[in-house]
Amino acid sequence: MYGSILASYSIGENNQVSPQALVWLSAGLNSDISSSRLKLASVFYSTGDMEKAELILRHTEQQYYSYPVLPICGCYIHPQEAVTEEFERLCGEQSENCIKHITTFCVRFIQGEINCVPHELQYEMFRSTQDDMIHRDEDKDCWMDWAVVDSLPFLYFLQYKIYCHLQRHQDQQQALGKLIRTIETDKNLRHRETALNILGQCMEQENRPQVALKCYMLSLRQRARNNVANIHLCKLLSGLLVSQ
């Protein structure tokens, strides 16, 4: 986190990542299989270095499917993890140091890292209205002031945005398809509402407002309060009315 805070500051100053920030970012790359690498890819994306970001994402995706990977999230209390027999077997056979290679944390950005975050995800830092704040636990819900997303949806979202910039349309559509399938099939997602919110914004970029509307409505079914889908809905509907 310290590395991305430094990177956010330097990006805000001159749209570059300072050498010191890169040292800190590199030092944390092996904390788990993907979340730290995804933050580094997001940093490069934010500076416009699409080639480096794409390379990191490609390597991370390969690593992700080398072993059965279990997402780990400490943001809130949720039902017991759907641990597979294969994952339990690997945990029994591997040392504690090796377990980090088959686990992945959700990707967290605090507000001090905002310049390292794609603008579609920045909205998540401002999810709570004044009325929502009444329904928050001051100690347990601090994560609601951050941008937090599960690793695999974020990987495919970044791929979608990067391939758009690189004008690789076929790869972009493949990334979008993988994002959709992950949201539909991955039972271990802990921030499904956030994944639906960024998918909705992809659908707006695709000029598919009806599908985007469905994404935001599904997001609100996952979390009715403290969900920036309310803002996305208002913006989308306002835009549709203006275009009439």
Side-chain angles (χ1 to χ4, degrees):
M1 183 181 291
Y2 184 60
S4 50
I5 291 174
L6 289 176
S8 180
Y9 177 79
S10 60
I11 291 171
E13 288 288 302
N14 53 27
N15 199 41
Q16 294 182 351
V17 184
S18 67
Q20 185 181 12
L22 284 175
V23 169
W24 282 96
L25 285 164
S26 300
L29 287 181
N30 293 320
S31 60
D32 68 334
I33 201 169
S34 64
S35 65
S36 296
R37 291 178 171 84
L38 292 174
K39 290 188 83 166
L40 181 59
S42 188
V43 167
F44 285 130
Y45 169 80
S46 299
T47 62
D49 195 338
M50 302 301 164
E51 287 78 11
K52 283 185 181 178
E54 193 276 334
L55 182 63
I56 293 170
L57 293 178
R58 186 152 31 95
H59 176 71
T60 302
E61 184 178 15
Q62 290 170 354
Q63 291 292 106
Y64 204 99
Y65 288 106
S66 298
Y67 300 97
V69 178
L70 184 70
I72 303 295
C73 173
C75 294
Y76 63 95
I77 298 174
H78 45 68
Q80 184 177 1
E81 306 281 0
V83 180
T84 65
E85 291 183 5
E86 178 68 8
F87 183 83
E88 289 181 325
R89 182 186 66 79
L90 288 170
C91 286
E93 293 176 356
Q94 304 292 334
S95 67
E96 182 177 342
N97 187 54
C98 292
I99 292 176
K100 65 184 179 183
H101 298 299
I102 53 175
T103 56
T104 180
F105 301 113
C106 54
V107 186
R108 298 178 174 186
F109 295 95
I110 65 171
Q111 294 196 6
E113 301 169 272
I114 192 166
N115 292 323
C116 302
V117 186
H119 76 269
E120 292 90 345
L121 196 59
Q122 290 179 12
Y123 288 104
E124 299 292 327
M125 296 180 176
F126 309 99
R127 74 183 75 208
S128 299
T129 64
Q130 197 68 30
D131 185 54
D132 286 333
M133 296 298 292
I134 302 172
H135 301 274
R136 281 178 47 169
D137 185 301
E138 186 175 346
D139 297 321
K140 296 180 181 179
D141 294 334
C142 60
W143 65 271
M144 292 183 179
D145 293 324
W146 310 335
V148 189
V149 61
D150 292 282
S151 284
L152 201 54
F154 189 46
L155 188 155
Y156 292 135
F157 168 75
L158 281 177
Q159 283 185 338
Y160 173 82
K161 298 297 293 185
I162 287 166
Y163 289 139
C164 177
H165 283 280
L166 295 175
Q167 298 183 353
R168 292 167 55 177
H169 181 72
Q170 184 174 355
D171 290 330
Q172 182 189 14
Q173 292 305 306
Q174 287 180 353
L176 181 61
K178 290 177 181 179
L179 175 57
I180 293 170
R181 285 193 296 275
T182 298
I183 294 172
E184 289 178 344
T185 62
D186 193 337
K187 297 179 180 180
N188 284 322
L189 296 184
R190 300 310 174 201
H191 298 278
R192 192 176 301 275
E193 75 281 1
T194 300
L196 285 162
N197 289 340
I198 58 177
L199 175 59
Q201 291 174 88
C202 292
M203 290 303 175
E204 289 193 59
Q205 182 175 326
E206 293 283 311
N207 196 28
R208 298 167 67 183
Q210 296 301 325
V211 181
L213 179 64
K214 181 180 179 181
C215 290
Y216 301 141
M217 295 300 295
L218 288 172
S219 176
L220 287 170
R221 287 185 190 177
Q222 295 290 320
R223 188 178 295 276
R225 293 190 178 274
N226 297 292
N227 188 341
V228 78
N230 288 299
I231 295 176
H232 293 311
L233 271 173
C234 290
K235 288 179 59 185
L236 177 60
L237 293 174
S238 175
L240 291 174
L241 287 173
V242 169
S243 64
Q244 295 297 321

